[in-house]
Amino acid sequence: MASFAIMGFGTVGGGVAEVLRMNAQVIEKKLGEPLTLKYILDVRDLSDTPYADIAVKDFSVLENDPDLDLVVETIGGARVALEFTRRALLAGKHVVTSNKELVASHGKELLAIAKEKNVNYLFEASVGGGIPLLRPLFQCLAGNQIQEIVGILNGTTNYILTRMVQDNVPFADALKEAQAKGYAEANPAADVEGLDAGRKICILSDLAWGGEVRPEDISMRGITGLDLKDVDIAHAAGYRIKLLGRALKLADGRQAAYVSPHLVPETSPIAPVDDVFNAILIRGNAVGDVMFYGRGAGDLPTASAVMGDILDALEHRAKRRDLGWSEPARLIDQEAELPMKWYLRGGEAPAEGQSVGEDAYLVGPMAGREAKALAEQLGAAALLPVLE
Amino acid sequence: MASFAIMGFGTVGGGVAEVLRMNAQVIEKKLGEPLTLKYILDVRDLSDTPYADIAVKDFSVLENDPDLDLVVETIGGARVALEFTRRALLAGKHVVTSNKELVASHGKELLAIAKEKNVNYLFEASVGGGIPLLRPLFQCLAGNQIQEIVGILNGTTNYILTRMVQDNVPFADALKEAQAKGYAEANPAADVEGLDAGRKICILSDLAWGGEVRPEDISMRGITGLDLKDVDIAHAAGYRIKLLGRALKLADGRQAAYVSPHLVPETSPIAPVDDVFNAILIRGNAVGDVMFYGRGAGDLPTASAVMGDILDALEHRAKRRDLGWSEPARLIDQEAELPMKWYLRGGEAPAEGQSVGEDAYLVGPMAGREAKALAEQLGAAALLPVLE
């Protein structure tokens, strides 16, 4: 018999308990033995729930139970979650998490502890909700040199953009709707300013290339400054505007990673991905482009990814998966150096540009530094990168 | 050091050697030791190639080499490939294959031998070319009850349909083009009559539910009978026509699997998937819908999947992956029993139907048996299922 605990009984933690209840038979068959939820650690009182018998408030109960195999961390943030994850790993427990903030900021340290203690620290649920993504990247595409990862990594902003594009709703109103529907937090900054997508592109980048990319080292631009005018012009010219996280490995071994709204050609498989859906395209030198699509958030989808990791960790109790990133990555400043096409609107017409609407032009490819200088020189009101 | 052999040095076999050459560094880093291509078994003379030194013509060299860890089977078909796969597994070698015919027809037997000999028999490359699909289904979604799998599983027919739809090219001409471009075989029957997609949906079904579904037990309808008229009507009514493989598990535990052209609503993520691309949607009771997209064929993409399996098999030398299907599945006759919406064209108008063009109607949901009877009664010229 294998047993695990859930730390943090919110949306995702509750989802994990629910998935175990719904699918106990399938899970036991796959694992070859029963899987027992032994403890739920939460500060709240769970005595009115079906989980009253297994509710605990003291982490040391988990830490000191030699028969407990694994801990699910769905606390969120990087304070208590960091301390409990460290202590769980040091106590020889496998840890599975959906906490992108913690993985992006402390993954390197936590993976090193996991390695030392010969246990697994797995986090498929931290990127793309239930979409299988990290394991395919790390395992199925293991024979590739990964060249680029780009995608819609935040469902909330994609919902807002969909409303802006399809129904001409201004940003502020679309955000209010997203909050009313429970897609956006009361404080939506991490979503709309690109931080959530930024943490996720860092994790993908870390796994793809093994060098650490820290959220504080990459440029993140969200959708708060986006103008409906540009959405309309882009649409008429055969583009959609999407908030993308993007990571590249250049021929010289340096990397780039950033978050920005992009013009995406409507022929791209990313373009039709609307509402709260995520889609992530991975380019490998053997496989070409593959794309992964699904709901990037939600209790049960995210819990599905957690459960996949639980089963994987327990099947690998003897031999842990050797994930990990060690060295810092050699990053370039994407804005300054990466050559891209750019969309410019307002101000004077550029000398060489393709007109895509009233006062709107595509220019380049040119480095972001040049594009910025050009935009200033022309007095442009909008400047956005174009995905090619 | 780990070593492997390639049996059958055609498109995919050659691709595997090429991927190893291109990406040797990445592969060695991932595996933690060098990976050596020790033999290439082929009936052809390879003395003019860079592989002259490792070319062999006698399978027993592989079979009797105690230091050979793994064999890649890219021979194709189910005769020689079957014999050599059996013998390789019995000799304690891991086997990795892209051979969908062999896996669909003899997977059960070969997995049983692999289990007995404690080695891996892996076949990610047999479905969807380089798209990570079987491992995500089996592993990442392990905490789900899989409810449905549906997708574009054959690139050749998708290319033909794309040409028919976008450029109004008749079927016969589009097929000739596909052959000229090397997408379709000289004998294109397995592609255009649905057998290739049928084998793949059987493999997906086997893995998802653990009961064997044999290609000869399911209904397969290809695109040879498709009329441009229906393509046009469907398009105008907001649908695309796609050749889909589809497998379902019903609430009573019985399964359905079949291949047929379908009307796909243009809002479905499958609808915009054109040319030789494949896209497979998997529905789980926790994760909801996830979709996997990419090139479903080609030397390097398929070799990418083979290489992923090689690394996985070698990392699991100690503990084999417990894939497998044992019991025959309880299949229903989809045509007869599965309730679906149907597209009818020609003949009299049905009493209850939604008009979608000249003489064309959507009816149902009703079982295929009823739809067929209705089509006969009305004297309809075309009858196609509709994906909902």
Side-chain angles (χ1 to χ4, degrees):
Chain A
M1 199 195 68
S3 68
F4 76 106
I6 297 173
M7 308 193 294
F9 204 59
T11 307
V12 178
V16 174
E18 176 60 13
V19 165
L20 179 63
R21 195 195 58 75
M22 286 160 60
N23 297 337
Q25 262 194 312
V26 170
I27 290 165
E28 178 173 341
K29 192 174 166 202
K30 199 75 77 158
L31 192 59
E33 59 187 325
L35 177 64
T36 303
L37 174 55
K38 197 168 183 181
Y39 307 109
I40 293 176
L41 177 77
D42 203 286
V43 289
R44 282 168 301 170
D45 182 11
L46 299 177
S47 57
D48 280 349
T49 74
Y51 303 103
D53 289 353
I54 57 170
V56 295
K57 290 190 189 299
D58 178 3
F59 173 73
S60 63
V61 175
L62 282 53
E63 193 176 26
N64 295 323
D65 181 343
D67 296 327
L68 185 71
D69 298 297
L70 184 147
V71 171
V72 170
E73 183 269 297
T74 44
I75 299 169
R79 288 164 45 90
V80 181
L82 174 60
E83 186 202 332
F84 287 178
T85 300
R86 268 194 198 125
R87 286 169 58 186
L89 292 169
L90 287 168
K93 317 294 180 202
H94 302 282
V95 177
V96 170
T97 189
S98 62
N99 185 341
K100 53 202 164 275
E101 182 180 347
L102 187 60
V103 177
S105 61
H106 292 81
K108 185 176 145 187
E109 176 201 337
L110 295 169
L111 283 164
I113 301 177
K115 186 171 185 173
E116 189 196 313
K117 304 304 288 185
N118 198 33
V119 290
N120 290 287
Y121 181 53
L122 300 178
F123 39 86
E124 177 68 69
S126 67
V127 185
I131 306 171
L133 190 57
L134 303 186
R135 185 165 291 107
L137 168 64
F138 192 78
Q139 202 172 339
C140 306
L141 303 178
N144 286 265
Q145 292 178 44
I146 304 298
Q147 296 165 321
E148 180 170 347
I149 301 172
V150 59
I152 299 168
L153 291 164
N154 180 276
T156 307
T157 45
N158 204 40
Y159 175 83
I160 292 172
L161 285 174
T162 303
R163 292 289 291 144
M164 290 174 73
V165 171
Q166 290 184 352
D167 307 285
N168 246 34
V169 177
F171 170 75
D173 296 346
L175 171 59
K176 267 181 215 147
E177 269 181 39
Q179 286 170 319
K181 290 196 171 216
Y183 298 150
E185 310 281 330
N187 178 356
D191 289 326
V192 300
E193 287 168 14
L195 177 59
D196 179 81
R199 286 169 177 154
K200 291 169 179 168
I201 199 68
C202 286
I203 295 173
L204 286 165
S205 188
D206 293 340
L207 267 185
W209 298 300
E212 185 185 32
V213 178
R214 293 178 308 174
E216 58 266 37
D217 293 336
I218 73 171
S219 124
M220 299 177 191
R221 179 172 167 194
I223 61 168
T224 48
L226 217 53
D227 195 321
L228 257 183
K229 202 179 288 176
D230 296 309
V231 170
D232 289 340
I233 293 172
H235 208 268
Y239 293 87
R240 302 287 171 273
I241 292 186
K242 295 289 179 191
L243 181 68
L244 302 181
R246 187 161 177 243
L248 301 100
K249 182 143 189 175
L250 309 177
D252 64 7
R254 291 184 305 166
Q255 294 172 221
Y258 67 98
V259 175
S260 172
H262 286 71
L263 272 70
V264 179
E266 61 190 5
T267 50
S268 162
I270 294 176
V273 175
D274 284 333
D275 292 316
V276 293
F277 284 89
N278 287 14
I280 300 93
L281 195 144
I282 300 178
R283 180 169 298 157
N285 72 337
V287 76
D289 288 354
V290 290
M291 193 183 80
F292 303 84
Y293 164 98
R295 280 177 192 280
D299 54 350
L300 295 183
T302 309
S304 159
V306 169
M307 190 54 73
D309 273 354
I310 293 175
L311 294 174
D312 192 30
L314 293 175
E315 283 166 348
H316 287 80
R317 266 178 287 190
K319 182 178 189 302
R320 61 174 291 282
R321 295 206 162 269
D322 199 11
L323 306 177
W325 45 92
S326 42
E327 300 305 301
R330 287 191 299 139
L331 277 176
I332 65 166
D333 181 345
Q334 164 270 332
E335 291 257 317
E337 294 185 52
L338 198 64
M340 299 184 67
K341 270 196 173 177
W342 296 85
Y343 164 93
L344 277 172
R345 182 183 50 79
E348 290 170 56
E352 288 178 34
Q354 175 199 346
S355 169
V356 288
E358 206 190 326
D359 281 339
Y361 302 89
L362 298 188
V363 296
M366 62 176 77
R369 182 198 297 122
E370 293 170 57
K372 223 167 172 177
L374 181 64
E376 268 175 37
Q377 181 199 323
L378 300 173
L383 177 68
L384 290 169
V386 179
L387 190 73
E388 286 184 280
Chain B
M1 198 195 67
S3 68
F4 75 106
I6 298 174
M7 308 194 293
F9 204 59
T11 307
V12 179
V16 174
E18 176 60 15
V19 166
L20 179 62
R21 194 196 58 76
M22 285 159 61
N23 297 335
Q25 262 195 314
V26 170
I27 289 165
E28 177 172 342
K29 192 173 168 204
K30 200 74 78 155
L31 192 59
E33 58 186 326
L35 177 64
T36 302
L37 174 55
K38 197 168 183 182
Y39 307 110
I40 293 176
L41 178 77
D42 203 286
V43 289
R44 283 169 300 171
D45 182 13
L46 299 176
S47 56
D48 282 349
T49 74
Y51 302 104
D53 289 353
I54 56 169
V56 293
K57 288 190 190 301
D58 178 3
F59 173 72
S60 63
V61 174
L62 283 55
E63 195 177 22
N64 295 323
D65 181 343
D67 296 329
L68 185 71
D69 298 297
L70 183 147
V71 170
V72 171
E73 184 270 296
T74 43
I75 300 169
R79 288 163 45 90
V80 179
L82 174 61
E83 187 201 331
F84 288 177
T85 301
R86 269 195 197 124
R87 286 169 58 186
L89 292 169
L90 286 168
K93 317 295 180 203
H94 303 281
V95 177
V96 170
T97 189
S98 62
N99 186 340
K100 53 202 161 271
E101 183 180 347
L102 187 61
V103 177
S105 61
H106 292 81
K108 186 176 143 187
E109 175 201 336
L110 296 168
L111 284 163
I113 301 176
K115 186 171 185 173
E116 188 195 314
K117 304 302 289 184
N118 198 32
V119 291
N120 290 287
Y121 180 53
L122 299 179
F123 40 86
E124 178 68 68
S126 67
V127 185
I131 308 170
L133 191 55
L134 302 186
R135 185 164 292 105
L137 168 63
F138 191 79
Q139 201 172 338
C140 305
L141 303 178
N144 286 263
Q145 293 178 44
I146 305 297
Q147 296 164 322
E148 180 170 345
I149 301 172
V150 60
I152 298 169
L153 291 164
N154 180 276
T156 308
T157 46
N158 204 41
Y159 175 82
I160 293 172
L161 286 174
T162 303
R163 291 289 290 143
M164 289 173 75
V165 170
Q166 289 184 352
D167 306 287
N168 246 35
V169 177
F171 169 74
D173 296 345
L175 171 60
K176 267 182 217 146
E177 268 181 38
Q179 285 171 320
K181 290 197 170 212
Y183 297 151
E185 309 282 331
N187 177 355
D191 289 327
V192 299
E193 286 169 13
L195 177 59
D196 179 81
R199 286 168 177 153
K200 292 168 178 168
I201 199 67
C202 285
I203 296 173
L204 287 164
S205 189
D206 292 341
L207 267 184
W209 297 300
E212 185 186 31
V213 178
R214 295 178 307 174
E216 58 266 37
D217 293 337
I218 74 171
S219 124
M220 298 178 191
R221 179 174 168 192
I223 62 169
T224 50
L226 216 55
D227 195 322
L228 258 182
K229 203 178 288 175
D230 297 310
V231 169
D232 289 341
I233 293 172
H235 208 270
Y239 293 87
R240 302 288 170 273
I241 292 186
K242 294 289 180 192
L243 182 67
L244 302 180
R246 187 161 176 242
L248 301 100
K249 183 144 189 177
L250 310 177
D252 64 9
R254 292 185 305 166
Q255 293 171 223
Y258 67 98
V259 175
S260 172
H262 285 72
L263 273 70
V264 178
E266 61 189 7
T267 50
S268 161
I270 294 176
V273 176
D274 283 333
D275 292 317
V276 295
F277 283 90
N278 287 13
I280 298 92
L281 196 146
I282 300 179
R283 180 170 299 156
N285 72 337
V287 78
D289 288 354
V290 290
M291 193 182 79
F292 303 85
Y293 165 97
R295 281 178 192 278
D299 53 351
L300 295 183
T302 309
S304 159
V306 169
M307 191 53 74
D309 272 354
I310 292 175
L311 295 174
D312 192 31
L314 293 174
E315 283 167 348
H316 287 81
R317 268 177 286 190
K319 183 178 187 305
R320 61 174 291 282
R321 293 206 165 271
D322 200 10
L323 308 177
W325 47 92
S326 42
E327 299 306 302
R330 287 190 299 139
L331 279 175
I332 64 165
D333 180 347
Q334 164 269 333
E335 291 256 317
E337 293 183 52
L338 198 65
M340 298 184 67
K341 270 197 175 177
W342 297 84
Y343 164 90
L344 277 171
R345 181 183 51 78
E348 290 169 56
E352 288 179 33
Q354 176 198 344
S355 169
V356 287
E358 205 190 327
D359 282 338
Y361 302 89
L362 298 187
V363 296
M366 63 176 76
R369 183 198 296 123
E370 292 169 57
K372 223 167 174 176
L374 181 64
E376 269 174 37
Q377 183 200 321
L378 299 172
L383 177 68
L384 290 168
V386 180
L387 190 73
E388 285 183 279

